[in-house]
Amino acid sequence: MDLTVPPALANQLVAPAQPQLPFAWKRQAWRSMLHDVPGAAELLDALPEKVDRTSTLEVVNRGITEGEILPAFIAAMIWGHGTTGFGPVRVRRSLTGLKSGTRDAPIRVDVEGLLRISALKVRNDGPLEGFRYMNNEGKIKHLGSAFFTKWLYFASAGENPDAPNASPILDRQVRDWIRNETGLSLGNRRTEDYAMYIETLTVWGTAYDRSPVQVEKEIFALATGRG
């Protein structure tokens, strides 16, 4: 497999790393859809008007440390869904296991435990084992890899958003860019594809002293035009 760094990405990696720009989110929409989730109201009231990776990482770390797993997960998903309008509905689906009629449906009793174990798994055993768990016995219905890798990222990065051992996000924009630029086709449901993804980011980042998540951020920026 040819792991030569694509020229456009090389140009990004050789330049100084830049922090992600903050963006606004729709507080009321999240408050309405997550009205009965323990700890959600307090979280939503406390979040700033604009969020970014660093501010979200602080909230997620604190939530995991204090045992507030569902609020920590919600914070990660608010960032993960960005400025799209469907984030609250999709997160409600993940929390209830239902696809419709979710607003007043009860939160599944197993979701918090699965998220807690996944956070421990990725912290103790690394990104690949975190992915393997959430892709198999720790699978949460209606939470695909594009978003559970966002949760794993925040659960593993510690206090450094660019931590070398943090779990890199693999969403459609990143997968499409890699395929278009290199011909490497990564699936979103196979642990071995995620292993290949980590290897690729690691090799690409080594020559520029960049961590895998820093490489992922630059790919996302190239793919979307957003930092």
Side-chain angles (χ1 to χ4, degrees):
M1 181 174 62
D2 183 7
L3 293 181
T4 303
V5 183
L9 179 59
N11 289 338
Q12 293 291 102
L13 294 175
V14 76
Q18 300 296 322
Q20 183 200 45
L21 296 175
F23 59 86
W25 57 287
K26 298 177 180 179
R27 193 184 309 269
Q28 186 53 44
W30 287 90
R31 184 183 286 120
S32 175
M33 192 57 66
L34 303 177
H35 58 95
D36 59 345
V37 179
E42 293 80 2
L43 165 78
L44 297 173
D45 287 343
L47 287 178
E49 295 295 327
K50 294 184 176 182
V51 297
D52 58 18
R53 284 199 187 217
T54 301
S55 65
T56 301
L57 180 58
E58 293 173 357
V59 172
V60 173
N61 263 332
R62 184 166 60 251
I64 293 175
T65 299
E66 297 176 356
E68 296 290 334
I69 301 298
L70 291 182
F73 173 70
I74 291 167
M77 294 300 99
I78 288 172
W79 178 88
H81 282 281
T83 57
T84 64
F86 47 73
V89 173
R90 288 192 172 180
V91 171
R92 184 78 193 188
R93 289 174 180 170
S94 300
L95 294 177
T96 63
L98 302 175
K99 194 163 186 179
S100 61
T102 59
R103 188 184 183 282
D104 295 312
I107 305 302
R108 285 180 52 170
V109 296
D110 61 337
V111 170
E112 183 174 3
L114 293 172
L115 291 170
R116 179 180 287 107
I117 293 172
S118 67
L120 291 173
K121 182 73 70 174
V122 74
R123 288 181 170 191
N124 294 335
D125 301 331
L128 185 60
E129 293 309 311
F131 187 100
R132 191 189 311 278
Y133 175 76
M134 295 205 77
N135 201 39
N136 292 281
E137 66 266 31
K139 188 173 183 61
I140 296 173
K141 192 173 183 180
H142 302 311
L143 183 65
S145 60
F147 285 91
F148 76 60
T149 56
K150 292 177 173 71
W151 165 247
L152 292 174
Y153 162 70
F154 284 109
S156 63
E159 298 180 356
N160 177 8
D162 297 326
N165 295 323
S167 187
I169 296 165
L170 180 57
D171 57 18
R172 179 179 56 80
Q173 292 91 336
V174 171
R175 287 191 294 110
D176 287 351
W177 189 91
I178 291 174
R179 185 186 65 249
N180 292 338
E181 293 293 323
T182 71
L184 175 61
S185 183
L186 297 170
N188 61 347
R189 298 181 180 180
R190 289 159 44 97
T191 303
E192 50 263 47
D193 283 2
Y194 191 68
M196 187 183 303
Y197 174 58
I198 293 175
E199 178 186 0
T200 301
L201 296 185
T202 301
V203 170
W204 285 352
T206 297
Y208 300 91
D209 195 26
R210 297 290 199 97
S211 68
V213 295
Q214 285 181 309
V215 179
E216 170 250 305
K217 284 196 295 184
E218 297 297 352
I219 292 173
F220 182 81
L222 287 168
T224 65
R226 305 195 303 272

